[in-house]
Structures are given as C-alpha cells and as structure tokens.
Amino acid sequence: MSFTPEIYIQAKALTKQVQLTDSTLTILQHIDLTINRGDSVAIVGASGSGKSTLLGILAGLDTATSGEVYLAGQPLHALDDDARAELRARQVGFVFQSFLLLPSLSALENVTLPAELAGIKNATQRGRELLALVGLTERADFYPSQMSGGEQQRVAIARAFITKPAILFADEPSANLDETTGAKIEDLLFELNAQQGTTLVLVTHNPALAKRCAKQATMQAGHLTMAVAEVTSVA
Amino acid sequence: MWPNVAWRLFWRELKRGELWVIAFALCLAVFTVVSLSGITESVRSALAQRSANFIAADKILRSSLPFNEAIFEKAATLQVKSAKQMQFSTMVFAGDEMQLVSVKAVSASYPLRGKLTLRQHEAVDAPIVPTFSQGEVFLEPRLLQLLQIKAGDMIEVGVSQLKVAGVIAEEPDAPLSVFGNAPRLLMHVDDVAATEVVQPGSRIGYRYQFAGSDALLTQLETEVKSLLTLHDRWQKLDRESAVGSALDRAEKFLLLAGLLGIVLAACAAAVAASQYSQRHAMSVAVIKALGVTTATARKIYASHLSLVTLLSVSIGLALGQFASSSAQWAIVNWLGDYQAEFSSRPLWLGLLTAVICAGLFSARPIWRLAAVPALNVLRQRQQEWQFDIWHLATGAVAVWLLMWLFSGDLWLSAWLFLLCVAFAALLLGMAAVIVKVAKPMSAGQSSALRLALANLRRRLWPNSFQLITFSLALFLTLLLYFLRAELIGQWQQQVPVGAANQFLVNITEAEKPQISALLTKNQLTAGNYYPMISGRVLSVNNETLTEPDAENSDKAESENRDTANRDTAERKKGEQQADQTGTAANAETAERRRGIGRELNLTWLSQMPANNEVVKGQWFVDGGKAEVSVEVELAERLDLAIGDTIGFSVGGQQFSAKVSSFRKVDWNSLQPNFFMILSPDLMATFPATYLTAFYLPPAQQPLLNQLARQFPTVSVLSVDNILKQINDIIAQVSLALTVILALVFAAAVLVLVAQVQATLEQRQQELAILRTLGAKTVFLRRAVLAEFAALGLMAGVFATVLAEILLAVLQVRLFELPFSLHWNLWWIGPGLGMLLITGLGYLLLRKLLIVDAPTLLRRALQ
Ligand SMILES: Nc1ncnc2c1ncn2[C@@H]1O[C@H](COP(=O)(O)OP(=O)(O)O)[C@@H](O)[C@H]1O
Ligand SMILES: [Mg+2]
C-alpha cells in the first residue's frame, strides 16, 4: 500500500554560517531534507549541534546563508520577513521548550491568540474545545504564573493547534519538565498530532522520544543524517 | 485582528500592572513639570506682588515735571488703578522750632499696594486713623520731638497752616535706610499747591503709581509712550535691596529646581520605557513567531504606548494642576492680599513634556521592541539589550530643549545639561573601572558579601545606567537640599533673629551711661556707641569745591538718570538714594558728584565695623594719623585716589585728612553705616553725639515711650516694620523652597523605584536559581541588602562629589554667595544613598525573598 507522498517541506543544500568577530562559524553544512505531508520527523543530536537552527530555518523564523527551503510549495528563501510571517500564521504551529505563553493573558486567551491574530472567527469556542482536549477546562481563566510547567505546556500545545496548522514544529517540548510530566506532554502531542493529521517536526535530544516519530534524523556537527529509512505506513 | 488583540493586551497589562511603571513615569514627568512650573509661577507672582508692597504700587513712573493728567486718564480707561505722589524737602515751622523734612504728598488712593498705618499719637498702642483728608499732616514720631509739638497742634508748611493729625506708624514704601534722611511728613497732594512751596526750579519728584495685572500694565506702558518726555522714566523693581536680592535668589532656586525636576522625570520615563521593552521582548518574539509581521507588532505596541500616554498625561495634567492650584490657594490664604492668576503655561509645558518623553524616550525603545526577531523563541537566553546611542542622543537633546523652554535661559539650561551629560559619562567610565577592580577584591569575603559583589559586578556594566540614575537622583536632591539651606542661612544672616530694630540717635556723652542703665534694667543690651558729628567736605587735594545752584538742578536730575541706567552697581546707588530721600537725594547725588557734600555724618573709629571690607589701601594702623577711610562708591564719584587729601569743615573749624583706604559697605545690613570714617586723633577735640542700636522685643514696646519722656533730645528710629517685612518674605520663600524640595525628592524616589523594579525580573530568576541550589532566606536577604547598600553607597559618593562641585559653582556664579565647603554633605550624601536605596530595594524585593522556591522557579521560567 505504497503511494507517492506529497512533499511538504524540502530543503536543498542548506548552509548556515554566522559571522563572529574574527571567524566564521558554520552551524549547518549542506543539508538536504524532505518531509512529506503527514510525516512525523524527529531531529536528534547533542546540545549545540544545530537542531534549533535547522528548525528555525525550516519554520521560516530564520534564513539560511545559502540553499533553498520550500514550505507548502512556497520558496522560503525567496520570501521577505513579512511574507514568511503570513505563511507561518496560516500553516505553522509551534511548541517551545520554555512554553512561551504571554504572561498577561489567561490560558484561554493564550490559546486563542493565534486565531485572533489571523482573524479566525469562533476562536473562543475552538479554544475551549482544545483546552478540554488537553484536560485544562478548569484552568481556562488561569494566568501562566498560576499554572505548573506541565499545565503551561499543555496550554502551549492547545495554542499550537488552534489555527489548524498543516505543520507543527516542536523544539524540545519536554526538556523543561520532569520525566512523568514530560511523558504526558509527549503523549498529548502525539495524540493531537494524529487526531489533527498534522505534519510534525520534533527536535529532541531524547532518543526514546525520537523513536515515537516515523522518521529520525540525526544532527552532528552541522551535518544531518537520516537514521531510519521510510516507514511503511502513515497515520 | 490586531486591534482586538492590542486592546485586550492593553487592558490585561494595565490590570496586571505591566504598564504601570511606564504610565507612572510619564505621569510623573507631566506632574513634575506642571506642578513645579505652576508653583514657581505662583510664588514668583506672589513675590512680585509682595515686593510691589515695598513700593506701594506695581509700577511707578518717575518724573521731574508736574503731573500730566493725560497719563492718569489713559490708566483710568484701561482700568488700571493709579495714585499720585510728590516728594520734596522743605523746612517746616512750629512756634520757634524749625526742621528740614522730607515731604511725601499723596493722593487719597495711596497706597495702591501694602499697608499704611496712621495713629492718633506717638504711643505704640494709640488708636488707628483710618483715613486722612486735606488739611491734615502725619509726621514721623521723632519729628514731634524735634519740633516740640504734639498731635493736634498746627504746623506751617510753606505758607499753609496744617493740622498734625497723628503719626506714621507703618509706611509701605518707607526708605530701607535709617540714616541721612530728613524726617518724613505725609500730606495730601492737593494741599501742595496752596503751600506755595513748589516754585519754578524747585526740586520735586513726581511719581505716578499704578496697580493692575501685568498685561494691563504692559499695555499702559506702550500706550503712554508718546506722552513721555526725557524727564519721565519707569522705575524698575528694586532688585538690589535685601528683599530684592532674596526674591531674586528664590526665583533662581525655583527655576533650578524645575530644571532638575525635568531631568529626573525624563530619566524615569527612559528607565520605564527600556524596562518595558526588556520585559516584552519575548512576548513580541512569540507573537511574531505566531505569524505577526513587524509592522503589525509595531502597531500593537504603539497603540499601547499611545493609550498609556493619553491616560497618564491626563492624570498628570490633572494632578499637576491640582497641586499648583492648592499651592496657589495656600499662598492666597497666607498672603491675604495676593491675587492668584490662572496661567496656561504650566499646562502646555506639561503636554510638551509628555510628547517629548513619550516620543523620544518611549517611542524609540518600543520601535526597537517590535523589531525583535521571531527567531528569539528558539534561543534559550534572552537577547542582551543593546546600548542605543541614538536613543540616548535624541533623548538628551530633547531634555535640553525642554529645559530651555522651561527656563527661557539658554545659558543656564545648556550649562546644567552639559554637566549632567559629563556626569553620566564619568560614571560610565567609573563603572567600567570598578568592574575590572572588583573581581580580585571579592575573593576572601564572607559568602553573602561575595555573592552581592559578584551580582553587582555582573550587573554593573550592563546596568550602569541604573547607577547613573541613582546617582543623578541623589545628586539633584542633595544639590537642592543644600542650596536651600544655604539660601535660607544667608537670608537669616542678613537679618538675624534679635537684630537691632531700634536706633537711638543724638545721645550726649552724659546720657550714654544712663541709657545703658535703663536698657540693662529692662534686660536689654545696647550695642556700640558710635560717635557722630555733622561736617562738610570742602576740598579735594586743596581744590575747593563750589556750591551748586538751582539752575543746575535739571542737569543734575538727568545726570542722575544716566547714572541709573548704567551698570547694576551704579543703578543700585542711584535707585537707593533716590528711593530713600526723593528729590533731595537726587540733588544730593548730583552735588556729591561735583564734590560738595551737604551735611555729612562723620564718625571716627579705631576699629573697622564688622560688615565693612577694605577694598583698597589699608585700615588705620595704630588708630591712624589724620587719615580718612572712604566708602568705595563715594570715592569713585569724588574721583579719589589713595593718598589724596580731603579738607573738612566741622562746626566752623577746618582740617584735612589723607585718604588711606576705600571700604565696601553692605547697605542692606540695617547696621549703622558711614560714608567717611576718620581716624580718632582728628576728632577727639570735637563735641560729638552718639548713636547706638538695640533689639527691643515686641512685648517691651512701651519702653519706647519711656525713653522718649526720659531723654527728650534723643531720637528713636524704629526699623521694626522693615525687619518684619523682610522676615515675612524670607519665611514665605523658605517654605516655598521646602515644598519644592519635597517635590523633587519625591520625583527622585520614584526614579529609584522605577529603576529597582526594572531589575526585578532578572533578580527573580537569580533568586530562583539560588533557592534551588539551597540558599537560605537569611542568606539571600543579606546578599540582596549588601548589594543595594554597596550600590547606594557608590551612588551616594558620586552624587556627593558632583553636588559639592556644582554647589560651589552655583553659589559663586548664579547666587553670588561666598564659596564654602559643605562638610555635612560628605556624610549625608553617602548615608542617604545607602539608606534610601537599601530601604527601597528591600521593600520592593521583600516579596520575592519570602516566596518558596518552586513558585519562584515557576515564575522565573515563564
Ligand atoms: N546567531 C548566532 N551566533 C553565534 N552562534 C550561534 C548563533 N546561533 C547559533 N549559534 C551556535 O550554533 C550552535 C548550534 O546552536 P543550536 O541550533 O541552538 O543548537 P541545539 O538546538 O542543537 O542545541 C551553538 O553552538 C550555538 O551557540
Ligand atoms: Mg536547541
């Protein structure tokens, strides 16, 4: 039951260099990567190996020094900041390592924020549904400072799905949490991902977590190697 | 869409207190400017009105020509109040006695400002005469004795017989000098013609007195311009007298306080805005990652800024206006006759301040805030806030512009501004050095202290702005505190408590011990007895000086006018002399210029009076030998040089003396002062009378009556009213200075609070980490206190050094006070810095210190 998957992200010969005071640091070297719609891909690697940098470029938060990136058919490398922002608003969801909720908004408001910014109607309704899905119905009116780290990350996950993004980028989503809470967060993330049919790019240095993804890629000193070949089925 | 989000964020942040610091800072800036300039303006106009009392009018036109009724008509059409006054000297007769008097003839509306008190007779508690009418005269009490008459008698003035209806107890425009004046006679201006005293060539001073609002008076001045001749001139407010200079200095102080208030407020706004930006950097990165463009982010935060500005400006304007209205109300309550005027200047200055503070101090950080890259969401560390030279430069220029606008004084504002800039640069340099030096120092200290030092060092460089604002706030407070003390001290020294308020003149050698005994019996102390004798200057270097004649008087008048328009020192003399003795003095000045003294009070002393200062030559050595010391301005007029010989005539006998020194005399001191002091050897053979002065408490006033009865030939001159007026003004000005000092201090404290709050976030993280590492509350508290104490001490020392330097410069340049070091400053400055900053820091951080580790951690990791 094999079919030709639709390519969702394609990176060609990506190189990222940063200029330091007296030298040039190469963070990413000539990276080629293809991610299909509906895929779940884990990027693993030691701390400082360039995982976040790659994620940033793939998500259109950053630009590469050379090479091409296509996201949903759009050439990110050719778009300006604003065009990339609009693309993110429509297509991309994020879950960050340090949650990054807006401290002055309640849980529900944090969840609905992307929808409101994108001008989506009935955001509150969908926000409540998502909060229910992550098990935080009771916490809708809590502020981030009143919630535990795990709760905050669940709010962040709900926020990531509010705009029904085609792709979700998660940068070490459980790294700031204790093991049990982290595991619950991971379960939730995969569950929602499966349910919504979202493409997932997950950065982690936890091999166990990486195993839950259909594909794994390893970052090492700026080079990327796909560890596992195509898996047979995609949910 | 974004407006909804912006609106929601705005309200949420307002509710959570996120925007408060910035709102507060803007509010403070507006409030400071509005209230300070409002209060300054009220105090200034109250003081101007107060000093108007000293000339019994708001404005005076002086003339040597008879009154031009057209000018009074112009005033009437403008609804400016007016009064007429003539001043001249003449002889009056009562029976066999005669006496030269200085006549002041006034119209019924006199005085337009201030208070005239007339009493039925010379007893201090005699009934008050409410009005005076034609045919009546009122005399200075000593004139009754000189003429040997009592209230109710008739006297001859020219060819008229006028009734002595009582005595002058209080006169608003009384001369401030006690000596050399003929005694005063007050009469009705409409009686003057009948006396036939005024003849062609007579020297009469005509004064048009006006009272009304500034605007009307200015209009009057322009409208009557065409009616004025060479013989008319507007009298300036006397700025050189004791009162005048006190007011002048107070005004300068208020101005300075206002300028410093602006600097402080601008600092607060700058601190708050950059703090706000720092706190929101991550939120901006998040919403940008969520797909918001930079332009939209800018719109969201700009709308926040506009709303905050609108809110805080309205509150600031309202509060500022309220404060200045309250001050005005207090002034009205206190001065009674003060008329408050509404001025819109403080309000538009406040608005302008808000626009500049919001525009330059807040808009730029918020503009940069929106430019924070979305990529930051993936970075674990917060982006370091970069030093924004443009922000600083534009902000600095704006502050200076504001200072200039506020003060209207380019020199002062530029100077003060450059000083603050130099100060900031100096502190930045010092901070850099300390960062380097503090490293090895911190080894081997107790661990709390080491942590404090380490924290300080780590934050000192990136946050040396904090140190600068701390120091600046302290410095400005110290500066104002000490200037205020200095000014008040100087004023009190000018008129010390218990300063002599009664002068006894014409005491014979035999009466000296009796008077001393009487005073001692009443627990009073007499001062020195100064010998006094009338004499004339006959010649300078054997060149005889001629008598003036009536024909010269006009020339004399115009010469005097020229003199009055020259430099300040000259004007001072011209004004003072003219004020004191009217036309007689004008003539006298002119006479003196040609070298002929009328009768001159001469004294001889072996010791120089305490408030005199030799400016050239040398004071008598061993009592001197046929020498004379001349008051320096008189010496200039007489064109004297050290070593010249002056010929005198005393009681028909002639002798000469060599000029051995020139003295500077403080004419404001209300102490006996003399133009010429002779060496004792010259005068020993002449029969002299003596002058002494003493302080009489108000309760013992009846003693004056006893003195007058017991020593009929001794004249009592009371300067009590003058002293009281001066003391009143000094008390009022002192209170105004104190209020303004309190305001500036409050502004400084608010800057400190804003600044400490700016670092709360960072501290929260640190405390969380330290807590997790197992640090105890006591330890953390000690470390925090030690850090703030060190910071406060450092800021205090910087502030002290700078305050001392600036005080010295201001004292000498702006306030013309003698230079002095302020020893108190050296412990108050660092002490205040340490206490204030430690106290504030502890108060603000207290909550963080008692929060348990998990909560802290959770907050820190948000
Ligand atoms: N703008 C930058 N300037 C300098 N060094 C950078 C910059 N961005 C990333 N790096 C460096 O590149 C390396 C990779 O960073 P990152 O992608 O965050 O690693 P990872 O997420 O795998 O831990 C790190 O050593 C980091 O310090
Ligand atoms: Mg990373």
Side-chain angles (χ1 to χ4, degrees):
Chain A
M1 46 191 284
S2 110
F3 57 96
T4 315
E6 187 188 339
I7 293 175
Y8 191 70
I9 292 182
Q10 189 160 39
K12 292 180 187 163
L14 273 189
T15 299
K16 177 72 178 176
Q17 292 175 323
V18 288
Q19 197 62 45
L20 303 179
T21 25
D22 45 7
S23 62
T24 308
L25 174 72
T26 304
I27 306 171
L28 303 178
Q29 264 179 14
H30 210 83
I31 288 177
D32 293 306
L33 176 70
T34 306
I35 296 172
N36 294 331
R37 185 178 284 278
D39 261 358
S40 61
V41 180
I43 301 174
V44 286
S47 181
S49 56
K51 306 183 296 291
S52 295
T53 307
L54 177 61
L55 183 105
I57 293 171
L58 296 181
L61 293 172
D62 197 5
T63 49
T65 313
S66 65
E68 298 178 349
V69 199
Y70 296 88
L71 182 96
Q74 301 280 329
L76 286 183
H77 52 273
L79 298 180
D80 63 5
D81 274 356
D82 289 351
R84 282 187 279 122
E86 269 161 42
L87 190 61
R88 282 200 301 274
R90 278 185 281 114
Q91 306 272 353
V92 181
F94 285 105
V95 177
F96 308 110
Q97 178 176 347
S98 45
F99 329 142
L100 299 182
L101 300 179
L102 263 51
S104 45
L105 297 183
S106 69
L108 180 60
E109 285 163 345
N110 263 295
V111 173
T112 57
L113 179 67
E116 282 185 45
L117 286 171
I120 294 170
K121 299 236 161 55
N122 297 326
T124 313
Q125 176 62 31
R126 180 158 164 77
R128 285 193 190 282
E129 286 167 21
L130 278 165
L131 274 180
L133 279 177
V134 299
L136 286 177
T137 314
E138 310 284 281
R139 298 277 192 271
D141 295 325
F142 280 43
Y143 286 94
S145 60
Q146 297 165 316
M147 289 184 286
S148 70
E151 287 170 336
Q152 288 187 52
Q153 194 62 307
R154 272 142 76 189
V155 174
I157 290 169
R159 174 178 70 183
F161 284 103
I162 185 105
T163 52
K164 299 184 176 155
I167 185 162
L168 182 69
F169 290 99
D171 189 13
E172 313 213 22
S174 53
N176 275 354
L177 300 168
D178 61 79
E179 218 169 301
T180 340
T181 319
K184 279 187 192 145
I185 290 296
E186 288 153 12
D187 290 344
L188 191 62
L189 191 63
F190 281 106
E191 194 181 309
L192 269 172
N193 188 52
Q195 200 177 353
Q196 309 281 327
T198 316
T199 312
L200 175 68
V201 178
L202 175 83
V203 163
T204 180
H205 58 258
N206 176 356
L209 179 58
K211 291 248 164 58
R212 298 179 67 169
C213 290
K215 293 178 184 174
Q216 290 85 28
T218 308
M219 278 299 294
Q220 203 167 25
H223 292 279
L224 188 77
T225 38
M226 285 303 238
V228 178
E230 292 272 332
V231 286
T232 42
S233 76
V234 176
Chain B
M1 295 308 289
W2 75 265
N4 294 334
V5 176
W7 185 245
R8 171 169 310 151
L9 270 174
F10 175 73
W11 278 112
R12 285 303 144 82
E13 302 212 329
L14 204 64
K15 225 170 85 183
R16 269 173 47 98
E18 290 278 321
L19 287 165
W20 280 31
V21 183
I22 198 166
F24 207 55
L26 282 174
C27 196
L28 173 71
V30 175
F31 173 77
T32 311
V33 170
V34 173
S35 61
L36 273 188
S37 59
I39 292 173
T40 308
E41 214 149 282
S42 302
V43 170
R44 195 182 289 170
S45 86
L47 291 179
Q49 289 189 21
R50 194 64 215 217
S51 51
N53 292 348
F54 280 85
I55 57 168
D58 289 333
K59 220 174 166 86
I60 292 182
L61 179 68
R62 300 163 75 113
S63 177
S64 56
L65 297 180
F67 290 121
N68 179 353
E69 290 299 332
I71 294 176
F72 288 112
E73 281 158 24
K74 269 272 191 298
T77 52
L78 284 173
Q79 298 202 305
V80 168
K81 286 194 277 181
S82 60
K84 288 178 186 172
Q85 195 179 105
M86 290 168 73
Q87 295 204 350
F88 55 90
S89 299
T90 189
M91 294 302 269
V92 295
F93 303 88
D96 290 340
E97 302 292 330
M98 59 179 201
Q99 174 66 41
L100 181 73
V101 296
S102 153
V103 176
K104 182 153 92 180
V106 297
S107 56
S109 50
Y110 169 87
L112 297 174
R113 296 274 184 243
K115 196 163 143 228
L116 174 72
T117 312
L118 304 171
R119 291 187 188 275
Q120 283 176 6
H121 51 84
E122 66 269 43
V124 283
D125 49 359
I128 287 178
V129 182
T131 53
F132 82 104
S133 28
Q134 265 182 271
E136 292 180 345
V137 295
F138 290 82
L139 308 183
E140 205 176 304
R142 64 174 162 140
L143 198 48
L144 293 176
Q145 290 149 20
L146 292 169
L147 290 170
Q148 311 243 312
I149 53 170
K150 53 187 194 312
D153 291 351
M154 301 297 282
I155 58 167
E156 283 170 45
V157 181
V159 301
S160 296
Q161 288 274 336
L162 296 167
K163 184 180 158 213
V164 178
V167 297
I168 307 166
E170 190 182 352
E171 187 186 359
D173 49 347
L176 272 174
S177 161
V178 209
F179 307 99
N181 295 342
R184 173 78 91 205
L185 179 150
L186 186 73
M187 63 185 286
H188 200 285
V189 76
D190 294 339
D191 287 336
V192 174
T195 63
E196 296 180 17
V197 168
V198 180
Q199 299 293 334
S202 301
R203 290 192 287 269
I204 314 281
Y206 293 89
R207 291 170 190 201
Y208 303 70
Q209 299 185 309
F210 300 107
S213 69
D214 279 353
L216 285 178
L217 289 173
T218 314
Q219 199 183 341
L220 178 69
E221 194 173 351
T222 39
E223 287 193 12
V224 300
K225 208 162 206 160
S226 57
L227 298 171
L228 300 189
T229 66
L230 262 178
H231 300 272
D232 310 308
R233 76 183 166 91
W234 291 100
Q235 178 178 315
K236 302 215 168 56
L237 257 188
D238 177 18
R239 280 281 168 203
E240 296 290 336
S241 69
V243 176
S245 62
L247 299 187
D248 218 27
R249 286 173 187 170
E251 265 190 41
K252 282 179 183 160
F253 178 89
L254 295 177
L255 190 71
L256 202 65
L259 288 178
L260 301 185
I262 288 179
V263 174
L264 277 177
C267 276
V271 171
S274 74
Q275 180 205 350
Y276 178 84
S277 297
Q278 234 155 341
R279 287 172 71 90
H280 286 76
M282 200 40 98
S283 295
V284 172
V286 171
I287 62 167
K288 285 177 85 174
L290 295 179
V292 165
T293 60
T294 304
T296 308
R298 206 155 270 164
K299 280 183 215 151
I300 291 175
Y301 285 92
S303 69
H304 284 194
L305 180 65
S306 317
L307 287 169
V308 168
T309 307
L310 204 69
L311 197 76
S312 41
V313 166
S314 326
I315 296 173
L317 284 180
L319 285 179
Q321 187 57 37
F322 176 74
S324 70
S325 302
S326 315
Q328 219 169 41
W329 177 81
I331 293 170
V332 170
N333 241 10
W334 190 17
L335 289 186
D337 55 351
Y338 167 64
Q339 274 132 32
E341 282 173 41
F342 175 79
S343 159
S344 60
R345 186 172 170 272
L347 289 178
W348 67 253
L349 260 180
L351 261 178
L352 200 70
T353 308
V355 169
I356 289 182
C357 283
L360 277 158
F361 283 103
S362 315
R364 172 104 185 139
I366 284 176
W367 181 268
R368 274 165 37 105
L369 173 65
V372 164
L375 186 63
N376 279 10
V377 291
L378 295 179
R379 299 217 169 111
Q380 286 308 298
R381 293 198 136 263
Q382 283 220 349
Q383 196 182 348
E384 284 279 311
W385 208 250
Q386 272 144 25
F387 189 71
D388 184 355
I389 189 76
W390 267 107
H391 183 208
L392 276 181
T394 48
V397 170
V399 168
W400 172 68
L401 272 176
L402 212 54
M403 288 167 83
W404 185 15
L405 259 169
F406 179 78
S407 66
D409 187 337
L410 181 65
W411 183 84
L412 182 66
S413 54
W415 202 87
L416 211 62
F417 170 73
L418 282 179
L419 201 105
C420 288
V421 169
F423 178 55
L426 191 80
L427 285 187
L428 272 173
M430 279 180 160
V433 170
I434 285 168
V435 171
K436 284 229 162 73
V437 172
K439 206 167 214 159
M441 224 173 68
S442 60
Q445 309 281 355
S446 83
S447 55
L449 192 60
R450 195 161 57 229
L451 177 66
L453 277 176
N455 269 342
L456 201 57
R457 199 178 55 236
R458 197 159 40 76
R459 266 197 231 105
L460 195 59
W461 185 232
N463 286 356
S464 54
F465 186 58
Q466 172 170 337
L467 185 67
I468 291 176
T469 38
F470 278 167
S471 309
L472 208 59
L474 282 172
F475 152 62
L476 298 181
T477 311
L478 288 172
L479 182 71
L480 284 193
Y481 176 76
F482 276 88
L483 262 187
R484 173 188 156 275
E486 188 90 15
L487 286 180
I488 293 176
Q490 286 286 331
W491 292 331
Q492 279 166 351
Q493 204 177 317
Q494 214 160 31
V495 189
V497 179
N501 57 1
Q502 311 293 335
F503 289 80
L504 301 178
V505 195
N506 211 23
I507 304 167
T508 63
E509 186 76 52
E511 284 167 333
K512 265 165 65 176
Q514 298 171 22
I515 285 179
S516 290
L518 178 67
L519 291 179
T520 315
K521 209 181 89 193
N522 288 281
Q523 281 89 44
L524 300 170
T525 36
N528 288 337
Y529 287 90
Y530 292 91
M532 227 166 70
I533 201 160
S534 290
R536 283 167 181 275
V537 174
L538 287 184
S539 63
V540 172
N541 291 338
N542 293 324
E543 193 181 312
T544 313
L545 305 159
T546 48
E547 284 285 339
D549 50 42
E551 288 158 41
N552 288 336
S553 68
D554 263 5
K555 189 169 152 238
E557 181 82 29
S558 60
E559 273 175 8
N560 183 40
R561 194 169 296 148
D562 291 342
T563 318
N565 288 333
R566 259 157 42 204
D567 61 65
T568 335
E570 286 293 303
R571 182 166 71 239
K572 166 185 170 183
K573 190 194 277 167
E575 294 273 334
Q576 232 176 22
Q577 290 298 327
D579 272 343
Q580 284 160 14
T581 51
T583 321
N586 292 345
E588 186 189 71
T589 316
E591 280 165 13
R592 219 188 289 124
R593 274 207 71 209
R594 272 165 283 130
I596 301 285
R598 232 183 21 179
E599 295 268 284
L600 202 62
N601 282 324
L602 301 174
T603 191
W604 58 97
L605 297 168
S606 50
Q607 290 284 314
M608 186 170 59
N611 61 345
N612 285 199
E613 189 192 331
V614 170
V615 291
K616 205 170 177 189
Q618 202 180 12
W619 182 253
F620 311 140
V621 183
D622 295 331
K625 210 165 164 44
E627 288 168 32
V628 60
S629 171
V630 187
E631 191 267 335
V632 63
E633 289 179 25
L634 176 61
E636 275 164 26
R637 297 217 162 188
L638 288 171
D639 206 12
L640 291 174
I642 298 288
D644 282 355
T645 311
I646 303 181
F648 291 94
S649 160
V650 171
Q653 262 181 280
Q654 300 186 1
F655 60 89
S656 57
K658 212 174 90 183
V659 177
S660 65
S661 65
F662 294 158
R663 268 173 308 120
K664 210 171 122 195
V665 172
D666 181 5
W667 294 105
N668 300 325
S669 67
L670 297 172
Q671 296 287 318
N673 283 316
F674 298 92
F675 282 114
M676 301 248 187
I677 300 178
L678 292 145
S679 56
D681 61 314
L682 278 175
M683 307 292 285
T685 55
F686 290 99
T689 61
Y690 293 84
L691 156 85
T692 193
F694 66 99
Y695 172 70
L696 181 72
Q700 282 176 272
Q701 287 289 323
L703 185 67
L704 290 181
N705 296 336
Q706 195 188 334
L707 260 169
R709 268 197 312 275
Q710 205 171 329
F711 305 99
T713 53
V714 172
S715 300
V716 182
L717 302 176
S718 175
V719 290
D720 224 16
N721 284 330
I722 302 170
L723 284 177
K724 212 173 126 277
Q725 272 178 314
I726 294 176
N727 275 325
D728 264 11
I729 286 210
I730 289 173
Q732 288 160 15
V733 173
S734 303
L735 191 79
L737 299 195
T738 310
V739 167
I740 278 164
L741 176 69
L743 254 174
V744 169
F745 182 67
V749 168
L750 289 174
V751 172
L752 299 186
V753 170
Q755 190 57 277
V756 172
Q757 244 162 10
T759 61
L760 274 183
E761 197 102 310
Q762 206 181 353
R763 281 170 193 287
Q764 195 160 309
Q765 288 187 11
E766 276 170 19
L767 285 176
I769 293 163
L770 290 168
R771 271 298 183 73
T772 343
L773 294 178
K776 293 219 166 60
T777 306
V778 184
F779 169 80
L780 287 181
R781 182 180 303 149
R782 244 184 247 147
V784 166
L785 286 184
E787 184 188 338
F788 276 112
L791 202 58
L793 183 69
M794 218 147 45
V797 170
F798 289 152
T800 301
V801 173
L802 198 80
E804 185 70 281
I805 296 172
L806 194 63
L807 271 173
V809 179
L810 285 178
Q811 258 175 352
V812 176
R813 293 293 309 267
L814 191 63
F815 293 101
E816 285 153 15
L817 296 171
F819 168 77
S820 61
L821 272 177
H822 307 79
W823 299 112
N824 280 344
L825 179 62
W826 291 88
W827 64 266
I828 291 180
L832 179 76
M834 227 161 100
L835 273 179
L836 199 64
I837 290 170
T838 314
L840 280 177
Y842 182 67
L843 267 174
L844 291 171
L845 284 172
R846 196 187 39 193
K847 279 207 204 97
L848 289 188
L849 286 171
I850 47 176
V851 171
D852 60 296
T855 318
L856 259 183
L857 202 61
R858 183 160 6 106
R859 280 198 211 151
L861 289 176
Q862 266 176 41

